[in-house]
């Protein structure tokens, strides 16, 4: 799974990268400790145009009477996303891109304490996760929410954690967004571990109040 990530790409550069129209209320950049339930940067298609907007990281199903009415859904498993009542409609019609620099994962060695790692692209470029989104509204309160799609990890990544976000390359963005017809399901597969680099980082990232570039610095 993925429960924390970092993003430092400026908003204007992000809009240019995705050829997307940016909203005026995007989250603050940089952020080295993006946490669930906060607003994150998301790219989605609307009226034939890509838009870069803030969305709450934590998907809220339509039947929730309030945002915390059930489990916090920050990830959706690729293996079951098309079957789960919470996700299946969004999987078909409301897919999005979630940009990042990289993400954190925790590994617990046998008999030891959990150790956080930072995982990022081997080429130091931006990382883009496959996501789904949903509008939720109750009694005048409206939230646009999202979740990351995850799949089984491969190789060395699997030694750190058994799940990994679905990472999309630029040539796959259009298909995932539905701009190029059908076939998005074929993209829900694990990134090869050779495309990633890994290093241990400070346990300070455990606190959702922690911030700053030291969080992603190698130990």
């Amino acid at each position: 799974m993925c429960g924390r990530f970092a993003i430092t790409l400026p908003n204007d550069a992000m809009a240019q990268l995705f050829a997307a129209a940016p909203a005026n209320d995007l989250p603050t950049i940089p952020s080295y400790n993006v946490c669930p339930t906060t607003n994150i940067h998301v790219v989605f298609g609307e009226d034939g145009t890509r838009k870069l907007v803030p969305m709450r990281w934590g998907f809220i199903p339509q039947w929730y009477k309030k945002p915390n009415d059930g489990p916090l859904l920050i990830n959706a498993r690729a293996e079951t996303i098309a079957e789960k009542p919470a996700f299946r409609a969004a999987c078909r019609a409301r897919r999005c891109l979630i940009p990042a620099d990289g993400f954190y994962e925790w590994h617990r060695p046998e008999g030891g304490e959990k150790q956080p790692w930072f995982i990022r692209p081997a080429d130091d470029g931006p990382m883009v996760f496959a996501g789904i989104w949903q509008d939720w509204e109750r009694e005048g309160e409206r939230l646009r929410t999202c979740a990351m799609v995850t799949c089984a990890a491969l190789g060395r990544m699997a030694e750190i954690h058994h799940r990994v976000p679905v990472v999309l390359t630029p040539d796959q963005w259009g298909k995932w967004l539905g701009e190029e017809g059908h076939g998005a399901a074929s993209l829900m597969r694990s990134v090869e571990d050779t495309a990633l680099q890994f290093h241990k980082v400070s346990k300070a990232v455990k606190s959702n109040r922690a911030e700053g570039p030291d969080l992603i610095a190698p130990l």
Side-chain angles (χ1 to χ4, degrees):
M1 63 174 291
C2 176
R4 300 282 180 86
F5 67 94
I7 182 165
T8 64
L9 191 65
N11 289 332
D12 55 350
M14 212 180 306
Q16 184 176 2
L17 175 67
F18 295 104
N24 294 323
D25 55 346
L26 291 169
T28 301
I29 293 292
S31 180
Y32 294 91
N33 192 10
V34 182
C35 302
T37 74
T38 60
N39 280 346
I40 64 174
H41 295 76
V42 173
V43 176
F44 78 118
E46 187 175 57
D47 300 327
T49 302
R50 288 184 185 179
K51 296 185 178 181
L52 176 64
V53 301
M55 291 191 188
R56 177 190 188 268
W57 184 19
F59 192 96
I60 306 178
Q62 297 279 14
W63 58 83
Y64 278 26
K65 295 180 180 179
K66 51 188 178 181
N68 61 350
D69 204 29
L72 178 59
L73 305 176
I74 61 172
N75 298 146
R77 295 174 68 95
E79 298 88 344
T80 58
I81 192 172
E83 304 164 8
K84 293 288 186 181
F87 302 134
R88 59 191 178 198
C91 179
R92 290 194 300 268
R94 294 187 301 277
R95 298 186 297 272
C96 60
L97 308 175
I98 301 173
D101 284 28
F103 65 97
Y104 300 95
E105 198 52 82
W106 278 258
H107 171 66
R108 186 194 294 275
E110 188 173 350
E113 296 183 2
K114 283 187 175 181
Q115 170 63 53
W117 290 67
F118 188 62
I119 299 99
R120 64 185 307 166
D123 62 4
D124 290 322
M127 182 174 256
V128 178
F129 306 129
I132 54 173
W133 66 275
Q134 164 107 327
D135 280 337
W136 177 86
E137 188 170 6
R138 280 287 189 284
E139 299 178 354
E141 182 181 11
R142 184 181 181 186
L143 295 172
R144 183 155 279 180
T145 72
C146 65
M148 292 181 189
V149 182
T150 67
C151 58
L154 299 175
R156 188 182 172 199
M157 182 65 222
E159 298 175 8
I160 298 173
H161 197 273
H162 66 287
R163 304 292 296 177
V164 66
V166 171
V167 178
L168 302 174
T169 55
D171 61 305
Q172 297 172 331
W173 296 347
K175 179 172 285 189
W176 183 254
L177 291 176
E179 299 168 350
E180 301 172 8
H182 301 292
S186 66
L187 305 178
M188 291 191 288
R189 59 180 184 269
S190 182
V191 61
E192 295 291 338
D193 66 343
T194 54
L196 303 173
Q197 56 179 308
F198 318 77
H199 61 258
K200 295 178 182 179
V201 294
S202 168
K203 294 178 182 177
V205 72
K206 180 179 180 181
S207 169
N208 58 12
R209 299 185 185 90
E211 189 49 77
D214 289 348
L215 294 180
I216 66 171
L219 283 183

